């Protein structure tokens, strides 16, 4: 919000709600109804851990496709992809990423799938 291009209407429309207790519709309803443009949370509990196992698996499968970063880094080898797929579950060890790579140690950036 310290960007000079951020409109004043956005900077002046802040709310500081308590974080939800879980990901249920009832817990998220007050956040969805908020009229502020920016919600600032001073802390956020691990809401993913509150999901039942079947829901956690479904959410994980959906979220693993959310982020991809195209960067200008020089590829490791000529004519290889120069992009990084960011792993939303980098902090869960072990796990399998969307390129079906098994991670048994902390996440590090890698080129291509």
């Amino acid at each position: 919000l310290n960007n000079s291009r951020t409109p004043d209407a956005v900077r002046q429309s802040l709310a500081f709600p308590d974080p939800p207790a879980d990901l249920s519709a009832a817990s998220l309803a007050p956040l969805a109804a908020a009229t502020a443009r920016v919600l600032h949370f001073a802390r956020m509990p691990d809401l993913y851990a509150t999901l039942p196992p079947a829901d956690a698996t479904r959410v994980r499968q959906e979220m693993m496709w959310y982020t991809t970063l195209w960067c200008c880094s020089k590829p490791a080898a000529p004519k290889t992809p120069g992009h990084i797929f960011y792993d939303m579950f980098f902090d869960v060890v072990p796990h399998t990423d969307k390129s079906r790579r098994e991670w048994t140690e902390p996440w590090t950036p890698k080129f291509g799938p």
Side-chain angles (χ1 to χ4, degrees):
L1 295 177
N2 290 330
N3 185 328
S4 62
R5 294 184 180 184
T6 302
D8 287 338
V10 172
R11 275 188 247 167
Q12 295 168 2
S13 182
L14 294 169
F16 298 87
D18 290 328
D22 55 44
L23 293 170
S24 68
S27 290
L28 296 176
L31 301 178
T35 58
R37 293 184 179 195
V38 178
L39 302 178
H40 181 287
F41 298 97
R43 61 181 173 74
M44 183 59 70
D46 182 2
L47 298 175
Y48 180 75
T50 67
L51 293 172
D55 289 345
T57 299
R58 181 185 51 76
V59 168
R60 185 175 184 160
Q61 292 298 318
E62 183 179 319
M63 288 180 67
M64 82 168 46
W65 296 99
Y66 280 5
T67 59
T68 298
L69 168 69
W70 286 90
C71 69
C72 54
S73 299
K74 183 177 178 182
K79 298 185 180 181
T80 58
H83 58 276
I84 295 174
F85 291 108
Y86 184 76
D87 189 349
M88 294 279 287
F89 292 91
F90 72 95
D91 58 341
V92 178
V93 177
H95 77 280
T96 303
D97 68 12
K98 66 183 173 185
S99 298
R100 296 193 175 123
R101 293 180 293 202
E102 295 289 329
W103 290 87
T104 57
E105 54 191 47
W107 184 89
T108 57
K110 292 186 179 183
F111 284 104

